Amino acid sequence: AILATPSGAGPAYPVRAITVIVPFAAGGPTDIVTHIVTDHLAKRLGQQIIVENVVGAGGTTAAIRATRAAPDGYTLLMGHMGTHGSALAAYPQLVYDPVTDFTPIGLVVRTPVLVVVRRGLPVHDLADLVRYSSKHGKAITMAHAGFGSISHATCTLFNTIGDIHPATQAFQGTGPALKALIAGRVDYMCDQIVGAAPRVGTGEVKALAISSGRRSPILPDVPTSAEAGFPDFEISAWSALFAPKATPQHIVDGLNAALAHALDDPEVRQALGSLGGEIPLADERSASTLATLIEREATRWRSLSRPAAVLDGSRVRQ
Ligand code: MLT
C-alpha cells in the first residue's frame, strides 16, 4: 500500500476509509465498474473503500449528495455521462453544475451502449424494432434508469430517430431494469455494454445493435448502429471519478495516480475489457482531460434541453 501523499505536499492521505458513491442500484454497469476499480484502489491506497449505492432521480440524488460532502477526499462520486451530461437535458433546473461543483479526478472507462430486447420479442434487428413499436404504440415498454440517466437519454435518442413512442418504465438502475427485461416484464432498453453483455452472452436477452462506430470484440456478431441502418444513433457513454469542488490538489493528484495505476493493472484491464469496457489510453487519463470532457458534455446536453419531449409518456416506479 502507498499513501497518495508520500512527500510534504499536504497532510497524509488517505488515513481512513474512503466512500465512493454510486448513483444507481447494485448490479448495474456503474456499480460493476466501481467495484472493479475500487478493489484495486483500496489495495493501492491501503485503506478500505466503501461503495455506497445512493439511488433516485436518474443519478442526480447521488450527485447532489456528493456536492454537499466535505472536500477532503473521503467522499467521492462515480459519475457518468448521465449525471454529468444528459441530466442537464432532463432537468433544466438541476441544482448542481457538473463543471463547477466537482473536482474531476479521472476518466475510468468508456462504454458503448447496446439496444437489448427481451428474448421473446419477435424482432431481429433495429428496423424490426421500429416497425414493431410503431405498430404496437404504448403496448411496448422501454425500461430505463430514471430521467437523464444514460439508458434514458440514449434510448430517447433512438426513439426520436426511429419516431417511436413506447410506454416507459423507470427503475433505480439498469441492473434491476435488466432483470425485468430477462423476466419479460418490459420489452427493450438501452444499456451500457458492461451491464448487458453477460446476459446477451447467455442468451437471456437479445442485442440488436451497439451504438458505436465499430463492433465490440466481446460481441462480434452484434452490428453497429450504422450497419443496422441507424448511423445517427452513435454515442459513447463513459464513467469517471469525481470529488466535491475545492478538493485539495495533492489529494486529486494522489487519486489520479492511483486510478492510472488501476487502469494499467492486468486484472482490472481483464475485468473491464471482458465486459466490453474501453480503457482510457494514458493521454486520456489526466484530471484536466476529464475537465475538458465535462465542459463539452455540459454544453452539448444543455443545448438539447427539451424537457417536454424527454419526459413525455413516462411513469416512474420507485
Ligand atoms: C446503472 O448503473 O444502473 C446505469 O449506469 C444507469 C444509467 O443508465 O445511467
Side-chain angles (χ1 to χ4, degrees):
I2 57 145
L3 276 180
T5 53
S7 66
Y13 166 87
V15 293
R16 57 184 169 86
I18 298 169
T19 296
V20 177
I21 302 174
V22 167
F24 297 97
T30 319
D31 185 66
I32 292 169
V33 163
T34 303
H35 279 281
I36 291 171
V37 171
T38 55
D39 279 357
H40 183 90
L41 291 180
K43 280 185 248 154
R44 180 81 184 153
L45 297 171
Q47 290 293 341
Q48 194 190 357
I49 299 188
I50 298 154
V51 175
E52 191 185 348
N53 299 79
V54 176
V55 301
T60 59
T61 302
I64 292 167
R65 167 94 64 99
T67 63
R68 293 179 181 158
D72 57 7
Y74 292 100
T75 307
L76 307 174
L77 175 75
M78 188 62 78
H80 71 7
M81 192 200 79
T83 56
H84 285 65
S86 50
L88 292 166
Y91 308 98
Q93 309 299 327
L94 197 60
V95 298
Y96 64 87
D97 183 332
V99 176
T100 57
D101 283 332
F102 296 88
T103 306
I105 303 293
L107 188 61
V108 173
V109 70
R110 290 185 192 277
T111 49
V113 168
L114 297 173
V115 182
V116 284
V117 301
R118 68 177 167 82
R119 201 168 38 179
L121 199 73
V123 303
H124 301 289
D125 55 30
L126 285 190
D128 268 355
L129 177 59
V130 168
R131 270 192 298 273
Y132 190 84
S133 300
S134 323
K135 205 154 110 203
H136 291 84
K138 298 255 184 261
I140 300 293
T141 307
M142 177 197 104
H144 63 83
F147 300 147
S149 65
I150 290 173
S151 45
H152 181 254
T154 54
C155 251
T156 298
L157 175 64
F158 172 68
N159 295 344
T160 305
I161 295 169
D163 193 25
I164 52 178
H165 306 273
T168 60
Q169 187 161 354
F171 292 82
Q172 293 183 333
T174 54
L178 193 62
K179 281 198 183 136
L181 191 71
I182 292 166
R185 294 199 300 273
V186 293
D187 295 308
Y188 75 102
M189 63 187 280
C190 296
D191 197 15
Q192 294 163 74
I193 192 165
V194 296
R199 305 312 193 128
V200 174
T202 56
E204 289 164 284
V205 296
K206 289 191 290 191
L208 303 185
I210 184 165
S211 70
S212 158
R214 59 193 156 82
R215 295 188 181 203
S216 170
I218 66 152
L219 292 174
D221 297 336
V222 176
T224 66
S225 34
E227 288 171 330
F230 292 76
D232 292 339
F233 184 54
E234 191 176 317
I235 194 155
S236 178
W238 48 266
S239 291
L241 203 55
F242 296 89
K245 78 171 173 209
T247 299
Q249 192 62 42
H250 71 278
I251 293 177
V252 175
D253 292 345
L255 286 170
N256 179 274
L259 177 59
H261 192 270
L263 297 179
D264 283 332
D265 176 72
E267 271 180 39
V268 171
R269 296 181 72 84
Q270 161 66 19
L272 290 174
S274 66
L275 294 172
E278 297 169 1
I279 294 159
L281 302 174
D283 66 356
E284 299 173 304
R285 294 182 190 171
S286 70
S288 65
T289 307
L290 177 57
T292 306
L293 172 68
I294 303 308
E295 278 166 30
R296 217 172 46 227
E297 289 283 35
T299 307
R300 172 162 83 117
W301 290 102
R302 272 199 182 102
S303 75
L304 287 178
S305 177
R306 290 181 308 149
V310 170
L311 304 184
D312 176 48
S314 298
R315 61 200 153 90
V316 179
R317 199 185 77 160
Q318 288 300 344

